[in-house]
Amino acid sequence: MLAVLDILDALGICRTNFPRGPEKLADQLRVVVEYFPLHGCEGWCVHGDSAIVCINSNSPPVRQRFTLAHELAHLLLHTATDVSFLGDLGFTGDDEERSVNNLAAQMLLPAEVIREFVGQAIPIRKETVHGIAKAAGVSELMTVLRLQQLSENLSIKDSFVADFGRERNWQLPRGACPSHRATELLKLTSESTGGEYAYDIRDRENLAMLFSTDWSQTLFVQSVERPR
Ligand SMILES: [Zn+2]
C-alpha cells in the first residue's frame, strides 16, 4: 500500500533530503521502484495493491531521476496510472501532466535550495545554472525551467525558456518573443563566448543563455531591472 502523505509533507522530505529527495520519498511512501531497460517510454507507474514505479535504466541518470519524481508526483496527486515518454519535460499542453511536472520540479529542486545557490546574484549566470544542475542531479533544461518558475521569487523581472527541439521548431511560451527573435537570440548566444549574450532594452538588463544537448537547444532569457 502507498503510505499516506500530503503534498507539503512530501515536499518537506525532499527539501531535508536534497539532493536525494525523490529517492527518500519513494522509501517513505513505500513505493516499489524498479529499473529495467524499457523501449519507447521513460517509465510508468501503477497503483493497485501496492504502488510500483518502473524506470527506463537505459536513459541518462538525470532523466531517470526526473522520471522517478514525475511518477511519484502522479501517485501523490492520485492520478495513479501513467506512462511517460521522452520529450515533454516542461512544454506539454496537457493540464494534468503540467501539474505533475510542476510538482516533480519542486521535489527535485526545492525553492529554498535554489535561493541559497542564487543569493543576490541576478541575472543568474550560466555557471550557476550548471552548479545547481550538478548538485541536484538534474538536467540543465530542468534547472532553467525551475528557475523560470521561481523568477519572481528571485527578483527577476521577467524570464522565459524556449526550446528548439527534436521537431525542429520552437516551443515558446505565449507572449515571450516572436520566433524569429528567438532564432536571432539562438544565433547570438551560440556565437558568444560561453554561450551567454547580454543586451539592454530601455531600463532592463537582459541575459540570454544557451544550453545544448544532442537533441535540443534551449534558451533561457532573463530580464532584470538595471541598478541605478
Ligand atoms: Zn505523466
Side-chain angles (χ1 to χ4, degrees):
M1 268 313 277
L2 187 72
V4 184
L5 207 58
D6 78 22
I7 307 254
L8 286 179
D9 290 340
L11 291 175
I13 290 170
C14 292
R15 195 165 53 234
T16 341
N17 293 283
F18 177 84
R20 307 290 298 160
E23 288 79 1
K24 186 75 185 175
L25 185 60
D27 273 0
Q28 301 237 335
L29 286 168
R30 292 199 287 276
V31 172
V32 180
V33 183
E34 316 234 32
Y35 294 85
F36 281 117
L38 302 173
H39 296 281
C41 87
E42 290 297 320
W44 48 259
C45 71
V46 284
H47 185 196
D49 287 341
S50 57
I52 303 170
V53 167
C54 188
I55 289 165
N56 187 356
S57 57
N58 283 335
S59 293
V62 292
R63 178 65 214 205
Q64 293 188 32
R65 299 197 66 239
F66 174 77
T67 306
L68 175 61
H70 179 95
E71 301 305 339
L72 292 175
H74 268 289
L75 294 170
L76 282 167
L77 294 169
H78 309 291
T79 44
T81 316
D82 178 59
V83 181
S84 92
F85 298 97
L86 189 69
D88 43 56
L89 201 59
F91 302 99
T92 169
D94 183 317
D95 275 353
E96 184 178 307
E97 284 298 299
R98 230 193 338 250
S99 51
V100 165
N101 282 344
N102 203 324
L103 183 54
Q106 295 178 62
M107 288 178 189
L108 290 160
L109 293 160
E112 294 75 3
V113 174
I114 300 242
R115 265 201 300 271
E116 233 163 84
F117 265 98
V118 172
Q120 304 301 313
I122 58 153
I124 300 163
R125 304 302 301 261
K126 207 174 162 181
E127 60 182 32
T128 306
V129 175
H130 183 72
I132 295 172
K134 209 164 170 223
V138 302
S139 66
E140 284 167 334
L141 172 56
M142 170 92 240
T143 307
V144 293
L145 287 167
R146 180 70 172 134
L147 288 170
Q148 201 279 322
Q149 261 180 9
L150 292 169
S151 282
E152 212 175 309
N153 210 291
L154 297 166
S155 313
I156 297 165
K157 200 82 190 156
D158 210 355
S159 73
F160 66 87
V161 176
D163 194 60
F164 191 73
R166 217 179 275 278
E167 271 86 49
R168 313 312 296 160
N169 57 19
W170 280 106
Q171 303 228 44
L172 264 163
R174 208 184 317 217
C177 73
S179 56
H180 66 83
R181 177 63 181 149
T183 304
E184 190 191 346
L185 284 173
L186 181 65
K187 186 167 178 291
L188 290 165
T189 49
S190 57
E191 286 166 359
S192 310
T193 333
E196 283 183 332
Y197 172 71
Y199 57 101
D200 286 356
I201 297 177
R202 287 183 295 276
D203 57 340
R204 300 273 190 89
E205 187 183 329
N206 296 274
L207 183 66
M209 58 187 71
L210 176 66
F211 298 95
S212 299
T213 66
D214 289 347
W215 60 85
S216 81
Q217 290 176 295
T218 303
L219 278 178
F220 178 41
V221 182
Q222 302 163 74
S223 171
V224 302
E225 213 91 66
R226 216 192 335 240
R228 285 163 199 273

